[in-house]
Amino acid sequence: MAALTELTLAEAKEGLAKGEFSSKEITETYIAAIESARDLNAFVSETPERALADAEASDKRRAVGEAGALDGLPIAIKDLFCTKGVKSTASSHMLEEFVPPYESTVTSQMVDAGMVMLGKTNLDEFAMGSSNETSYFGPVVNPWKRKSDDQPLVPGGSSGGSAAAVAARLCLAATGTDTGGSIRQPASFCGIVGMKPTYGRCSRWGIVAFASSLDQAGPMARTVQDAAILLQSMVGFDPKDTTSAELPVPDFQAVLGQDIKGMKIGIPSEYRIEGTDPEILALWDQGIKWLQDAGAEAVEVSLARTKYALPAYYIIAPAEASSNLARYDGMRYGLRVDGETLADVYENTRGEGFGSEVRRRILMGTYVLSVGYYDAYYIKAQKVRKLIADEFSAAFEQVDAILTPTVPSAAFAHGEKSDDLLGMYLNDVMTVPASLAGLPGISVPAGLSSDGLPLGLQLITKAFDEETLFRVASVLEQSAGFTARPDGGA
Amino acid sequence: MSVDKSTVARIATLARIKVPEEDIDALADELSKIVGWVEQLDEVDTEGVAPMASTAEGTVLRQRDDVVSDGDRRDDVLSNAPDTDKGYFAVPKVIE
Amino acid sequence: MTEKNLIKGQTGDWEVVIGLEVHAQVIAKAKLFSGADTSFGAEPNEQVSLVDAAMPGMLPVINKKALEQAVRTGLGIKAQINRFSVFDRKNYFYPDLPQGYQISQFSDPIVGEGEIIIDMEDGESRTVGITRIHLEQDAGKSVHDMDPRSTYVDLNRSGVTLMEIVSEPDLRSADEAAAYLTKLRAILRYLGTCDGNMEQGSMRCDANISVRKPGGDLGTRCEIKNVNSIRFAAQAIEYEARRQIEVIEGGGTIDQETRLFDANKGVTRSMRSKEEAHDYRYFPDPDLLPVNLSEEFVEEIRASLPELPDEKKDRFVAEFGLSAYDADVLVAERAIAEYFEEAADGQDAKTVANWVTSDLFGYLNKEGLEITDSPVAAKQLGALVGLISDSTISGRIARDVFAEMCASGKDPADIVEEKGLKQVSDSGELEGIVDEVIAKGAAQVEQYKSGNEKIIGWFVGQVMQATKGRANPQMVNEILRKKLAG
Ligand SMILES: [Mg+2]
Ligand SMILES: [Zn+2]
């Protein structure tokens, strides 16, 4: 039998069910893997004792035939999810010591399903970033290396710790959150599957908010099937989140392996964005061909306002964030930095507690909401958002799914884009439009760059049609046959 | 539109974030760059378009029944506080 | 506008222009966006949910009751109900504002324009426009005097539902403002949407005040914040109007500012101008969807509205023949009006009204009781009036019976029975007593015969004394006149 860390989530689930190994055994293997990969800095908090306790409890449940959907499976949680009794930091100095007395809805459902929690993964501070370099706890190292040099690469962000941990076999799967691409972009950079469900599929309750109208939790895994299994336990109506959808949840795995003959796949030429790596455009063409070969029809669709999605996002997300992060004021929890007056305490706390990117976005958000700018920026951006959502709706009158690249480039080196603010923002240019429209999207690893780095393709479907998304993704995955490994193996 | 130093200082105060004097220039530059960039939205004709605050907007706002179902958990509420006394949060003195 | 509302200054008459913003705590068991208890008087931070403390990742879910109460209030002031409304965030920092923003309604409030009719002491009525009513969260409470270095924060109030009721600048004097607040409070209590308890902070008022020459352009206004009684509101307005006139007449100008009323000194003073220009950066709360009220929802509430003071007053005048003044007094509180109607059922309503407004109120006031705590039940008071009407007892005896009812809570008939207070209306018995009195009072008989008709009072007194007040006064009078004339 292969090393336990080589199994997919589905395989491990089966192995546990057949009694080939215990949860304790696979959990111990993962704990050891995490310890030996600390140089990746993928975890903010490792929770080996908790994991072992979870595993032992799981083995007991299984012995009496009470195993849940994730029972005994070692999984990592992005440190944006509040986990009861376990530090939940959002990778910020502000929440460095914060221990929530509550559990997020998504993780509590996973606990109920029997998961083993290995720890909390690193992220860009408050999920603001695309490289995981804004974390207060230091950057995450992408387990992949370029052929051309030995420089440490970024894993993408903001769910960079989760992506790196999944790619490096430090967990079977992990949770992420995606506001403008924070699951899909790191998935592409790390050669894994990352899926953002429809806005409203997963409860936001207990997840540290970045931009409330955009934030969605989702799975990060090594296969499409694994993502479907994990998502199944994450989703569902939650009365504690008014924006959570009160809809029946389909069986996401049921559609895997179904063919896509006769399906229409939209190809928006506007995603041929200037500056995109030609290798990625070539991979996109290849992806179209794969789907055609599988019997789908490629249809040109127009998403004319695509280029305006990113600037609209960089108004809306900071505006919401500037308000969402006002609660971090040093009064009731979190960091407090003293000062002479109350005003000083506020300013010192928030000045020191937030890193530079978070401060910048709060200031940007404050600016666009302030008197005299609200209509010109915030309202304007919301109108553009409406147009973008309408374009998607129109496209989905014609097609079942849309195929695009996930990111315009492969992973870059630490520090490489630090001085290029707008260049960094461009990482999300292909993921943000679906976020603004609240649509589900998935990044599937589809090939390697000539420099040996993974590249993903993105699929998007209409709202609450995750079944079609998984169905097409599964076909794409099979066609791509991506088996490359971060350590160069296959 | 460029964001000048006094604007940076004003919004920093509004946001209660201390910005050291020596950082203001750089921040003004960065914010000007971002603001200039987002202004490309002016190219989009949005005449008559209804602003969209949320993609969930079409659905009905769910309402709770008026029952007491929470509270009575002072220890939880205070458990992460930097300073507490007699069941209160203690915060820096407010001078009215 | 009436002349008497003008304030005399050195340069002539001045008119005061007042608009009021009332924050009324909505009656509901749980908070606006969390399931925490709203009752008054708990230990600090005992009624705080994770939502109210704004812990990371917490989300608001609206209490249906809050929407109902706002709509009920809107319907009660004949206002437009906005079927579409939006919750916005009002962003500012304060230690008792956990989220760093207050969820409120800015551009699209739940209730639009309405009106309130105020009744002045002189019997005149005026209509005051209501601009809007919106829902919002209350903040927590800061306690500044428990520790020399720290302010203590209690979040029990954090998230409690408030209605902000904003009037047009239609009020022209402190008296009108007081009448407005009194009427508004009555309506809210009738509707059961706010208990109007100002000592507990259930109703607080911000007053916007400016002065101008009659008919001139509006002056610069000052806002007096958080006045917590109707009397203080009137005092604050009176003081502030005169202060502004003095400033202007002294050649100065009014700064638009926020002021506080110092109830001890009876003055308003400028709040330290620590605050930078307000910029609340309102925007729609992305955690909440817009509110869409169905027609059925609104109509169901409309159908359940109680009769309100104005309609009740009109009915009392028409149905019972009460004076406008008495009707006003009786409808001021729903509980009083209900007491009155129950007592008046089957009785002479005007007599009942008199008993309620004089004897009963006198007793309750003296004892510091609310009408709901009255030892005399409405039915019992009605029965007492019935005993007078059917001549079982006289009005005079009735006062004694009433006193006994207050003390013991007994039924009036029982008291009359036990104490033998039944009126003597037996003409034979009365004639005998009258004869005795006439026999005793030869001198008085002489006076009567020589034209001093008033002396008859002496005879009546004697008869009453002899009967311990139980003699039917009308009969005594008749018999006396007949016998004295004979
Ligand atoms: Mg106000
Ligand atoms: Zn208010």
Side-chain angles (χ1 to χ4, degrees), chain C residues 21-23 90 102 104 134-137 162-166 206 225 282:
Chain C
E21 292 170 15
V22 171
H23 283 95
K90 178 180 182 178
Q102 177 195 36
S104 180
H134 65 254
L135 286 168
E136 62 187 27
Q137 302 173 293
L162 302 178
M163 289 182 284
E164 183 172 328
I165 303 160
V166 182
D206 302 341
K225 280 275 183 205
Y282 284 100

Side-chain angles (χ1 to χ4, degrees), chain A residues 159 176-178 181-187 194-196 216-220:
Chain A
S159 311
T177 64
D178 189 313
S182 281
I183 288 175
R184 292 161 286 164
Q185 183 256 14
M195 190 267 183
K196 179 196 97 76
Q216 260 299 294
M220 306 181 78

Side-chain angles (χ1 to χ4, degrees), chain A residues 99 241 308 360 377 380, chain B residues 30 39 43-44 62 80 90:
Chain A
V99 180
D241 175 2
Y308 299 109
R360 190 156 44 230
Y377 296 109
K380 180 77 183 182
Chain B
E30 288 165 1
E39 279 173 354
E43 298 163 13
V44 185
R62 228 174 2 256
N80 281 280

Side-chain angles (χ1 to χ4, degrees), chain A residues 144 188 191 283 290 444-450 452-457 480-484:
Chain A
W144 293 81
S188 180
L283 181 68
W290 283 330
V444 178
L448 289 178
S449 72
S450 54
L453 293 181
L455 302 172
L457 288 177
F482 184 88
T483 54

Side-chain angles (χ1 to χ4, degrees), chain C residues 215-249:
Chain C
D217 289 339
L218 280 176
T220 304
R221 67 192 162 87
C222 292
E223 185 176 19
I224 305 173
K225 280 275 183 205
N226 260 327
V227 186
N228 62 3
S229 90
I230 295 175
R231 192 163 55 90
F232 289 161
Q235 282 176 14
I237 289 165
E238 194 68 40
Y239 176 89
E240 178 61 16
R242 289 183 192 279
R243 183 191 73 85
Q244 291 185 13
I245 291 167
E246 219 166 276
V247 168
I248 298 168
E249 290 189 333

